[in-house]
Amino acid sequence: MTSTPDAPLGSRIIDDKSPICVPFILDRFAHYQKQCSEAASSTAPVRPFIVGINGVQGVGKTTLVQTLYETLQDREGLETLVVSIDDFYLTRADQSALAAAHPDNSLVQVRGEPGTHDVALLASFFDAVCNGQPARVPEYDKAAFSGKGDRAAPTPKNPGRLVNGPGQRPLQVIIVEGWCVAFRSVEPGAIEAKWRQSGASPDSMSSKLHTHKLEHLLFVNEKLTYYDSALTNRIDALIHLDARKTIYVYEWRREQEAALRRLRGTGMTDEQVGQFVDAYYPAYELFSEGVRRGIFGSHRGRQLRLIIGKDRQVKDSIIL
């Protein structure tokens, strides 16, 4: 695809992502089916094909995921599940305990950064679905506790969505989306180098690292190591919606909240949006570059990187 310049921000947004992503996913799924056929066992269940969707807030993940789901489930007839890494955030009680244990670390005072997810739940859920076993899909209520959020507690009337249950078709495809899906930890020395570089020019609007202590960034980095076995190493194909400039996330989130205020009469102010995105931005700075290089090492062809302009439209596509 030929690179194109950014269109004006106010231009009409069209779905130019799914025409690129759908063929990529179907091609990778065909490769996966062939591998499964060659290694077929009469007793072992076929493990679902797992697609990761990574992208900063507001880049268009939700719209793309809906199209992928409709294509795979309805047109291709594949039993497909969509889950968000957001639904694996810690419960309100556990998040409060984490914040209290690290009172001077602003990165873990609210949900957001790696370390604020229930990695044990993430691992047990994917253990179950990858083995064809029944599992309940967790659901996180972001509106609970005045917006601080909590995991929705199962009740007898609403125990949570069951997959791979009795009488149900076994899952064939799982789409897992989220802002930090496929992030991997980096060498501590690289964290320190970026932190020092940020501190050398603290007035830069494109970096937030200097506003945090080095040990707090290293804490998040260490927590991220546990995501590999729980999720990242299980991903079969990845779509990376990569903002041409990460700083776009602030304007995209302001636009979303402005639209919400017009629609519902409620939503975050611009100042609140800034504070909200600030909680996520250090992870974008530290771990996005690893995703850009590719998460599959020498196994080429399994990652699609779409470079997204300020207008949220695709400017270039790269297979890694």
Side-chain angles (χ1 to χ4, degrees):
M1 179 175 177
T2 303
S3 297
T4 58
D6 287 352
L9 185 59
S11 61
R12 184 172 61 93
I13 304 300
I14 61 173
D15 177 17
D16 60 346
K17 300 175 183 65
S18 61
I20 306 170
C21 296
V22 167
F24 169 76
I25 292 299
L26 293 178
D27 177 71
R28 294 314 310 170
F29 183 71
H31 279 81
Y32 181 75
Q33 285 184 305
K34 182 179 179 181
Q35 291 173 345
C36 291
S37 178
E38 292 172 349
S41 166
S42 59
T43 58
V46 176
R47 174 187 173 282
F49 180 72
I50 299 177
V51 181
I53 310 288
N54 172 286
V56 301
Q57 301 162 29
V59 75
K61 295 189 299 296
T62 301
T63 301
L64 173 61
V65 165
Q66 182 62 32
T67 302
L68 290 178
Y69 174 80
E70 292 171 354
T71 300
L72 297 171
Q73 180 75 34
D74 300 333
R75 193 180 80 189
E76 300 296 326
L78 300 171
E79 191 63 26
T80 302
L81 171 70
V82 173
V83 294
S84 171
I85 199 168
D86 289 0
D87 285 321
F88 293 88
Y89 278 127
L90 293 168
T91 63
R92 169 54 25 201
D94 288 342
Q95 175 60 49
S96 297
L98 175 67
H102 304 275
D104 63 333
N105 187 345
S106 63
L107 294 171
V108 296
Q109 295 307 301
V110 295
R111 70 175 189 267
E113 292 281 336
T116 65
H117 297 89
D118 188 336
V119 178
L121 176 64
L122 188 68
S124 64
F125 176 82
F126 277 94
D127 281 344
V129 293
C130 285
N131 287 302
Q133 299 170 350
R136 296 283 179 184
V137 182
E139 182 179 348
Y140 193 85
D141 181 2
K142 295 181 179 179
F145 290 92
S146 301
K148 293 180 179 179
D150 195 7
R151 190 178 310 144
T155 66
K157 289 186 177 181
N158 184 21
R161 181 183 176 189
L162 179 69
V163 293
N164 286 339
Q168 294 180 318
R169 293 175 63 199
L171 291 176
Q172 295 170 278
V173 179
I174 300 173
I175 300 172
V176 55
E177 64 87 16
W179 71 279
C180 65
V181 167
F183 279 0
R184 293 191 189 274
S185 63
V186 300
E187 288 297 319
I191 300 285
E192 182 173 1
K194 286 189 175 184
W195 177 74
R196 292 190 182 282
Q197 182 180 10
S198 173
S201 53
D203 294 332
S204 172
M205 290 298 294
S206 62
S207 178
K208 299 295 180 180
L209 299 183
H210 63 275
T211 64
H212 302 279
K213 293 181 179 180
L214 176 60
E215 56 263 36
H216 295 167
L217 299 172
L218 292 174
F219 177 86
V220 170
N221 187 58
E222 190 271 335
K223 290 296 183 182
L224 191 55
T225 62
Y226 299 100
Y227 289 57
D228 285 351
S229 59
L231 174 62
T232 310
N233 293 344
R234 308 183 202 248
I235 295 174
D236 298 298
L238 178 70
I239 295 172
H240 180 201
L241 304 181
D242 187 18
R244 177 174 277 175
K245 294 183 180 180
T246 308
I247 202 73
Y248 293 163
V249 66
Y250 284 94
E251 188 155 354
W252 289 341
R253 285 295 291 146
R254 285 195 294 267
E255 288 178 347
Q256 288 179 325
E257 290 300 320
L260 190 63
R261 291 195 300 269
R262 290 193 297 270
L263 180 65
R264 300 181 181 177
T266 183
M268 289 189 287
T269 65
D270 286 354
E271 181 180 0
Q272 289 171 327
V273 168
Q275 295 171 347
F276 178 80
V277 177
D278 282 350
Y280 295 79
Y281 206 85
Y284 293 142
E285 292 189 71
L286 294 175
F287 309 118
S288 293
E289 189 56 40
V291 182
R292 292 186 183 107
R293 290 194 299 267
I295 71 164
F296 297 110
S298 61
H299 299 283
R300 311 300 290 177
R302 295 170 59 185
Q303 180 169 331
L304 172 63
R305 178 186 174 206
L306 300 184
I307 299 174
I308 310 300
K310 195 173 185 180
D311 53 10
R312 295 189 182 88
Q313 295 183 20
V314 178
K315 305 305 171 185
D316 203 358
S317 63
I318 304 166
I319 299 290
L320 299 171

